[in-house]
Amino acid sequence: MVSDDRWLERLRLELTWFTGQAALRSRGAGAILRFAHVRPRRRGAFQPLREHEITPQFLDRAIRALKRWKYDIIGMDEVCRRAVTLPETRRFVALTFDGANKDLISFAYPVLARHAVPFTIYVPTAFPDGVGDAWWLGLEQVIARESRISLMMGEKEQRFTVTDHAEKQALFAFVETWLRSLSPADLSAAIADLCTRYRVDLAALSREASMNWEDLAKLAADPLVTIGSATVNYPVLANMKDAAALREMTMGKAVAESAFHRQIRHLAFPFGDRSSFRRNHVVMVEEAGFASAVSTIPGIVDAEGRTNLRALPRISWDGRVRSLRMLRVLVSGVAFAPVKPTGGATS
């Protein structure tokens, strides 16, 4: 059913392009695009995180298309300015990358540098130190390797048999949703137990997938690169007590500022969907000293202060789709209902 819904949505967007609405009825000041992994296409039928990956070739095509469509490609400082001023003649797109993944510097940065376009990377600061847990990678590897899996869910041990890729995909989605519902301490215990049972080295997986501080320093030296924070450990803030959530924000900012010797003005809410943060976390963003915070709630950015800078919408590109027509429809804004700000829109 989820697959059917995805293809129906793709058909709707394609029809929007063919009717010309994207060109004639653009709405808002611009859009913020969100990417995670940029790397060559991997082999294998079981790829539960495929939607979070694009190829370097697609990134190149997308940037060329945005330039051809006369979009201004801008950084997050300029997004904040345009969000509170009168609308400008040209619309904008901001390119953002979550997670400080190693493939960003290996595969994405050469493309971005060749095009000389600004972009923003949001860094969870535990990961360059080699102590962050990319638990979703551990879960993926366990399910990829095993056909019979048991794990403790609450106080009960659950057992699953997965014999094909569809069953593995469904199990990944089920367990991922459950893990994301846990407090950080319970999540850490659950994934550590699972990885220990099936001899998956989560620490090594996480280090291999993440940029180190040397990689990040190379990016930070480029004036077209904006460094933002994604807290320290990339937790689901909604599962934390307020004091702990605020500490994740302030410590992530402080560590990044110490590492890069610059002010860190922009935050990405970890995961960023409606269930991962609450209204009080939007208030904390200002308290922690950030000028903006981005979510993964889909939508476009309005001008004249109509969009809350500390709960900005983003368009998360689905890497399973390679249609530039769909990209044009999405960045035009016509596919989205107006996003209600979380709290008052502030500058």
Side-chain angles (χ1 to χ4, degrees):
M1 183 58 131
V2 172
S3 178
D4 290 344
D5 288 345
R6 178 166 65 87
W7 290 111
L8 285 172
E9 176 63 12
R10 178 173 180 174
L11 176 61
R12 183 181 71 84
L13 293 173
E14 293 275 6
L15 289 173
T16 299
W17 181 85
F18 279 114
T19 61
Q21 292 182 61
L24 299 175
R25 296 174 54 191
S26 296
R27 185 170 58 79
I32 306 172
L33 288 174
R34 173 190 180 264
F35 305 101
H37 290 284
V38 181
R39 58 191 177 196
R41 193 172 301 281
R42 297 182 294 161
R43 294 182 178 180
F46 177 63
Q47 295 189 43
L49 301 172
R50 181 70 188 86
E51 65 186 275
H52 303 299
E53 302 179 13
I54 62 170
T55 63
Q57 292 77 16
F58 179 81
L59 180 61
D60 179 73
R61 290 175 59 222
I63 294 172
R64 290 179 186 276
L66 291 168
K67 289 180 175 180
R68 188 167 65 248
W69 300 332
K70 307 300 182 184
Y71 277 82
D72 291 336
I73 302 176
I74 64 176
M76 285 307 299
D77 287 334
E78 180 66 5
V79 170
C80 292
R81 187 191 70 80
R82 293 199 187 193
V84 299
T85 58
L86 292 172
E88 301 197 8
T89 303
R90 286 167 59 114
R91 294 170 56 76
F92 72 79
V93 166
L95 307 176
T96 66
F97 298 83
D98 285 6
N101 298 302
K102 184 76 173 180
D103 49 60
L104 176 60
I105 195 164
S106 301
F107 299 109
Y109 186 55
V111 177
L112 294 158
R114 185 168 65 248
H115 283 285
V117 292
F119 66 95
T120 300
I121 174 173
Y122 292 102
V123 180
T125 54
F127 288 76
D129 280 328
V131 295
D133 284 340
W135 55 263
W136 47 92
L137 298 182
L139 176 62
E140 178 185 22
Q141 188 163 120
V142 168
I143 296 176
R145 294 192 332 199
E146 307 294 333
S147 59
R148 295 181 179 179
I149 298 167
S150 64
L151 73 157
M152 293 298 298
M153 300 185 75
E155 297 181 355
K156 185 177 180 180
E157 185 168 28
Q158 302 284 355
R159 294 180 174 85
F160 304 92
T161 299
V162 283
T163 58
D164 58 33
H165 296 301
E167 290 178 348
K168 287 175 179 283
Q169 190 80 31
L171 179 60
F172 181 92
F174 173 70
V175 178
E176 180 196 35
T177 299
W178 172 69
L179 288 170
R180 283 186 52 180
S181 73
L182 302 178
S183 70
D186 289 342
L187 190 158
S188 180
I191 197 65
D193 174 63
L194 181 66
C195 289
T196 299
R197 289 181 185 217
Y198 296 100
R199 299 181 181 179
V200 169
D201 189 339
L202 180 60
L205 266 182
S206 302
R207 286 194 300 271
E208 182 181 352
S210 301
M211 283 189 282
N212 57 33
W213 290 115
E214 183 179 348
D215 296 327
L216 288 164
K218 178 180 178 180
L219 294 178
D222 187 334
L224 291 174
V225 178
T226 299
I227 303 289
S229 172
T231 72
V232 179
N233 297 295
Y234 208 74
V236 176
L237 297 176
N239 297 338
M240 307 178 74
K241 294 182 178 180
D242 285 353
L246 179 60
R247 186 163 56 250
E248 278 283 342
M249 292 186 194
T250 56
M251 287 299 296
K253 186 175 193 294
V255 172
E257 288 180 341
S258 177
F260 301 117
H261 307 291
R262 68 181 65 174
Q263 186 181 17
I264 302 298
R265 304 183 67 245
H266 307 288
L267 173 78
F269 289 115
F271 301 99
D273 57 10
R274 293 183 187 277
S275 65
S276 64
F277 70 101
R278 298 188 296 268
R279 181 186 294 269
N280 58 317
H281 298 119
V282 177
V283 176
M284 288 180 198
V285 171
E286 184 171 10
E287 185 178 346
F290 291 102
S292 80
V294 292
S295 69
T296 58
I297 298 170
I300 49 87
V301 178
D302 284 325
E304 300 181 275
R306 289 189 293 268
T307 302
N308 192 339
L309 291 182
R310 296 177 178 90
L312 288 165
R314 283 192 295 175
I315 299 169
S316 297
W317 183 257
D318 188 332
R320 296 167 296 187
V321 177
R322 289 175 283 175
S323 168
L324 293 179
R325 294 193 297 265
M326 288 181 62
L327 178 65
R328 188 167 193 181
V329 171
L330 289 171
V331 297
S332 76
V334 299
F336 302 109
V339 176
K340 294 181 179 179
T342 307
T346 55
S347 60

